Amino acid sequence: NLSTEIRMILDALPSTEPLYLLMDRNPLEYGLFGVNRTRELFPVRDAGDVPSAGYLLIDSAQDTPQGFILIVNSGQFRLYQKD
């Protein structure tokens, strides 16, 4: 269920933190803006583009990026924080 996956990600992600997305455009993005649509979302082409301590969301089919710590695996998506 997509709404369950969004909730798992939002619960693990501090509300004031921007989110970097390494994925094709997906309807999931709209739920990730947060309750008041205040979260900043930044699409990136490479995990190396994420700043230190930044949060990265990837499709679970992708390889684990180097230099990141897994925060949550929702099944279809994984949330990491850059080490």
Side-chain angles (χ1 to χ4, degrees):
N1 181 325
L2 193 56
S3 63
T4 301
E5 294 200 17
I6 291 170
R7 177 59 40 215
M8 287 177 66
I9 293 163
L10 292 179
D11 287 348
L13 183 63
S15 62
T16 57
E17 290 294 326
L19 181 59
Y20 296 84
L21 307 171
L22 184 59
M23 64 179 67
D24 293 329
R25 294 195 66 89
N26 185 311
L28 167 80
E29 287 183 34
Y30 299 105
L32 295 173
F33 279 106
V35 176
N36 297 317
R37 295 184 182 186
T38 55
R39 183 181 320 283
E40 293 181 288
L41 301 180
F42 298 101
V44 293
R45 291 184 178 202
D46 184 84
D49 295 337
V50 177
S52 181
Y55 290 89
L56 174 67
L57 186 69
I58 66 171
D59 188 298
S60 288
Q62 295 184 39
D63 293 333
T64 299
Q66 289 187 340
F68 285 80
I69 299 166
L70 180 65
I71 303 297
V72 69
N73 184 346
S74 70
Q76 186 177 353
F77 301 98
R78 292 180 302 197
L79 177 66
Y80 291 92
Q81 186 172 21
K82 193 164 188 177
D83 203 6

